[in-house]
Structures are given as C-alpha cells and as structure tokens.
Amino acid sequence: MRDQHGELMFHQSGGCCDGSSPMCYPAGEFLTGDADVHLGDLDVAADADAPAGEGFAVPVWMSRSQFAYWRHTHLTIDVVPGRGAGFSLEAPEGVRFLIRSRLLTDEEWAADGADGALQVGPT
C-alpha cells in the first residue's frame, strides 16, 4: 500500500460500524487535532526478512474519547482476509485491519500505562 499511496497513517475513532476498525489513510489525509492522541509509530518492515528498525514508521492515532477507554490495553494492529472498511486504503485489497487487545500487566501499567501512555507495537 505504501508503494501505491505513499506514507501512511492509522486512526482509530471508536465509533460504530467502520469507526470500530483501525482506518489506514495516506499520511496527512485524515486531519488530527486536539480531539486525537498520537499513540506512537509502528515500525513496519519493508519486507519479511528486514531486521527491526530498518522499516518505515506509520503513525497511529486514536480519538481522545476512545483512548480514555483503551488506555489500560496493549493494542496490536493486525491484517486478516476480508472486506476492509469503506474509506480505509485496504478496502479494495481483499484484507482488513483489525485491533487485537489485551489488558496491560501490572508491570506494563506501572512502567508505561499509569502516565497515560498506551502500548503500541508487537505483543
């Protein structure tokens, strides 16, 4: 998708229907502001054999209201076969993005979660 659309970004709104799935956009196409939280950047490998840190960054944003509910969770953005969301870039590709979550452990919460951070990255 990056080859076709350029730099990418994700946004998770927390609304109903398509809003409950992470949406992938060309970077800057979805305008973020004070109502959004930058969770961090995914380190995406250019190919399956690339070492960590040698890929490209994809910023991940979430609406502030949704962050209030999910701040105690570790999130993983996954891609699975299926029909993508209407405005998300994967829609015509036969795949869809989804969020997998788990509660932060006590140690993760103490290290990162208690200050309002949310875990972004591999499980």
Side-chain angles (χ1 to χ4, degrees):
M1 284 195 320
R2 184 172 178 245
D3 289 342
Q4 184 178 0
H5 299 284
E7 298 301 317
L8 304 171
M9 68 176 287
F10 277 102
H11 188 272
Q12 174 76 42
S13 73
C16 72
C17 308
D18 285 348
S20 59
S21 297
M23 305 286 276
C24 184
Y25 301 100
E29 184 173 298
F30 186 93
L31 298 180
T32 57
D34 291 341
D36 300 293
V37 176
H38 179 225
L39 303 179
D41 297 333
L42 298 176
D43 178 18
V44 180
D47 63 58
D49 298 323
E54 291 191 16
F56 55 93
V58 178
V60 179
W61 294 82
M62 180 178 281
S63 69
R64 190 169 299 282
S65 61
Q66 186 68 11
F67 176 74
Y69 291 109
W70 285 23
R71 65 178 284 180
H72 63 283
T73 59
H74 174 101
L75 301 178
T76 301
I77 297 178
D78 201 356
V79 61
V80 297
R83 184 177 176 276
F87 296 109
S88 192
L89 292 177
E90 84 281 7
E93 303 298 327
V95 296
R96 66 187 182 95
F97 293 110
L98 58 86
I99 293 260
R100 298 186 191 275
S101 64
R102 66 168 172 79
L103 293 176
L104 294 174
T105 65
D106 291 341
E107 294 79 19
E108 289 169 328
W109 180 254
D112 296 323
D115 67 357
L118 191 68
Q119 301 295 305
V120 177
T123 53

